[in-house]
Every structure is written in structure tokens, then in C-alpha cells.
Amino acid sequence: MTGIFASNGEYVPVTVIAAGPCVVTQIKSAETDGYDALQVGFQEKDLDKVNKPMTGHFKKSGSSGFAHVREFQVDNPADYTPGQTLDTELFDVGETVHISGLIKGRGYSGVMKRHGFRGGKKTHGSRSHRVPGSIGNSAWPGRVIKGKKLPGRYGNSRQTMKNLKIMDIREKENLLLVKGAVPGTRNGLVQIYKTNASK
């Protein structure tokens, strides 16, 4: 993350995203695959470092290998061709996008870190500092209710931040400057979706 100054002089925190270039590796249609989608590849990779099934798959689109392959649903796949390059030209400054990514994994965490519990008393003889406390009743229902907030694995799950505004576009470097934070770590892989019906 970094920050830029908007036209009104306001300092805005932004996340810099390398949005491409992505190459269309396959076009899926409702007639052949049951749904309309584009398969795109990102971050070029030598074909000799790709396994044989994926090597044949990439050669069909006439492109080199890619480290990451993802699918995006589209309304009209006939508008695209295999081997076509997608970059920041798809976006405009000021529009909003949805961004999905894998949030940081934090391992097995307690209720204070995982759910923001306040914790118990620190003094006056209390021995309950970071534990969840009472989690159910004795006689009825005599069990722990499903969905109770308890310790467990925290993070390492997919999360989507919605309606993030594009503050600036650096076309030469294929960079998007998006207002606010996005899910994931530095150099993590994210997926960007347009907010309107045609993705």
C-alpha cells in the first residue's frame, strides 16, 4: 500500500495492483461447457516448466505457459478470442470494482484474536483472562449451540472487498491504484471483478 493526493488535495491510501497483462487461454460457452466464461492466464512461465497436460492446453491458444490460470464469467464470450490480451484498458478511473483474494492465514487462534472478545478481568484474583468463558447452559439445551464463536483456525480463506474505487491507472506499467486495502499478502494473487453486469 501507499498513498496519493486526490484532485481536491485529500491524501488517499491506495493499494497498487499489477492488473495484467492477462491472456485468454480458453473460451467456454453454454453450448459446449454449460456456462459462459473466459479462462485467463497471468504471469508468463516457460513451457518447459509446465506439466505436459497444461503445455498442450496453452499451445491451443497459441500462448506461452502461465503460472496462474483463473476463470471469469462473461455475458458474451463471442466478444473474445483465444490469445487475446486483457489489461488495464478494461477499467476506468473513478469506477468501482470488487476484489477477491486469500486473506492471511493466522493459524489456530483464540477467541480474542479470532472474534475480538474482550477477555476476562486482569486482577482481583481472576484466572480467566483470554478464555471464552461460559459457552452454554446446564439443563437445557444441555449442549453447545451451533455457530458458537470459539477458538479455531483463523484466516487462509477467500474474502471479497466490494465497491473499491479506482483512483488512478498507470497504463504503461499495467497498474491499478485502488482506494483502501485488499485481501491477501504482498505479491498475493487477487481477482478483480467489474461491478456492473458485464464482467
Side-chain angles (χ1 to χ4, degrees), residues 71-191:
E71 282 190 9
F72 293 88
Q73 290 189 356
V74 292
D75 295 332
N76 191 8
D79 295 341
Y80 304 90
T81 57
Q84 180 180 348
T85 301
L86 307 176
D87 51 22
T88 53
E89 292 183 356
L90 295 173
F91 305 99
D92 299 313
V93 176
E95 77 170 314
T96 57
V97 292
H98 301 335
I99 299 180
S100 298
L102 200 65
I103 64 175
K104 293 180 181 179
R106 295 171 175 84
Y108 193 94
S109 303
V111 290
M112 291 181 69
K113 182 174 182 177
R114 190 183 186 201
H115 300 296
F117 279 26
R118 183 177 61 183
K121 293 181 179 179
K122 306 295 187 293
T123 58
H124 295 283
S126 172
R127 295 185 177 182
S128 300
H129 302 301
R130 300 185 65 88
V131 296
S134 175
I135 60 172
N137 298 320
S138 149
W140 188 89
R143 60 185 174 86
V144 178
I145 303 298
K146 288 183 179 180
K148 181 68 67 175
K149 293 180 179 179
L150 291 172
R153 279 194 173 185
Y154 177 40
N156 197 32
S157 59
R158 182 180 171 87
Q159 189 178 59
T160 301
M161 301 293 288
K162 295 188 174 182
N163 298 319
L164 298 177
K165 185 178 180 181
I166 298 177
M167 301 301 297
D168 193 11
I169 298 177
R170 310 284 169 87
E171 295 180 357
K172 291 183 179 179
E173 297 92 359
N174 281 317
L175 297 179
L176 291 181
L177 275 64
V178 181
K179 183 177 181 180
V182 301
T185 60
R186 289 189 185 93
N187 300 320
L189 188 68
V190 295
Q191 296 177 353

Side-chain angles (χ1 to χ4, degrees), residues 17-82:
I17 301 175
C22 298
V23 178
V24 178
T25 57
Q26 186 181 2
I27 297 176
K28 298 194 173 184
S29 62
E31 293 78 17
T32 57
D33 303 283
Y35 62 99
D36 295 328
L38 290 182
Q39 185 188 87
V40 298
F42 175 66
Q43 208 169 35
E44 286 194 7
K45 189 176 182 181
D46 292 337
L47 283 176
D48 56 356
K49 295 182 179 179
V50 180
N51 60 29
K52 288 186 178 180
M54 292 305 294
T55 300
H57 180 68
F58 290 138
K59 284 183 177 179
K60 286 181 181 179
S61 60
S63 57
S64 60
F66 295 97
H68 308 286
V69 178
R70 295 292 185 272
E71 282 190 9
F72 293 88
Q73 290 189 356
V74 292
D75 295 332
N76 191 8
D79 295 341
Y80 304 90
T81 57

